[in-house]
Amino acid sequence: MVKKKLKAKTFQGMNYRKVQRKNSRNRNLLIRENQKWLKNNGYRNIGWNNVISLYQAIAELQRKEQISEFNLEELFLEADRIGNKYFSQQEIHNKQQKIAQELNEITEIIDYQFPDNKIEIVDYS
C-alpha cells in the first residue's frame, strides 16, 4: 500500500503556524476594546477555520481603526476608492474628466481675480 503525502493547507501563502503568529501579533496591535470584542465573540487562534476567521476579523478591525484616524481629505479619498468598485472603468474615467474640467475652470477664475503681477528671477549660479 502506498501512502499519499498530504498537501499542506495554506491561507494567503501562509501555513497554519504563520497565520497563528500573525494573528497574535496583529491582535496585540489592536486597541483593548477590540481585543475584548474578539474574545467575547468567540474568535480563537486554534483550529484552521477559527484561525482564518480570526485573521479576517482582525484585518477588518485594523481597517476600521485606521479609518478612524483619517483626516477629512483621506476620508474622501477612501470613500472614492470604495465607491469606484461599483463603477466601470469608463464611468470612472468620465467622472475624473469632469472633475478635472471643473478644477481648471476654478483655477481660471482664481487667476482672473488674483493676478500674479510680480516677476520672479531665479539665479542658479
Side-chain angles (χ1 to χ4, degrees):
M1 207 191 243
V2 177
K3 291 185 177 181
K4 291 184 179 182
K5 188 174 184 179
L6 295 176
K7 187 176 178 183
K9 291 183 182 181
T10 59
F11 175 72
Q12 295 183 354
M14 298 179 287
N15 65 18
Y16 178 75
R17 298 280 184 223
K18 285 183 182 178
V19 178
Q20 275 187 318
R21 271 182 268 155
K22 192 160 187 153
N23 283 347
S24 296
R25 210 172 319 123
N26 289 340
R27 185 186 336 179
N28 290 333
L29 296 175
L30 294 173
I31 60 175
R32 286 275 179 225
E33 179 181 311
N34 288 338
Q35 290 177 11
K36 288 180 183 179
W37 184 87
L38 287 171
K39 185 175 182 177
N40 293 338
N41 287 297
Y43 287 97
R44 299 177 49 109
N45 207 16
I46 296 174
W48 187 244
N49 292 332
N50 293 336
V51 167
I52 292 172
S53 64
L54 177 62
Y55 182 90
Q56 293 166 340
I58 290 172
E60 179 67 23
L61 290 172
Q62 285 177 326
R63 189 182 65 75
K64 286 180 181 178
E65 285 181 10
Q66 184 182 23
I67 287 175
S68 67
E69 296 172 356
F70 282 171
N71 62 28
L72 188 59
E73 180 183 0
E74 291 169 335
L75 281 174
F76 277 113
L77 291 174
E78 182 68 12
D80 191 44
R81 184 191 65 78
I82 291 170
N84 283 343
K85 292 191 301 190
Y86 303 104
F87 294 112
S88 68
Q89 289 299 321
Q90 183 63 35
E91 290 171 326
I92 293 171
H93 180 72
N94 290 342
K95 183 176 75 168
Q96 289 174 345
Q97 289 289 30
K98 287 180 184 178
I99 291 172
Q101 184 179 1
E102 290 178 20
L103 288 175
N104 285 336
E105 291 172 4
I106 292 170
T107 302
E108 289 174 7
I109 292 170
I110 291 173
D111 286 343
Y112 177 74
Q113 291 180 356
F114 302 102
D116 190 15
N117 296 333
K118 289 192 254 179
I119 299 174
E120 294 183 16
I121 300 174
V122 180
D123 185 13
Y124 291 106
S125 59

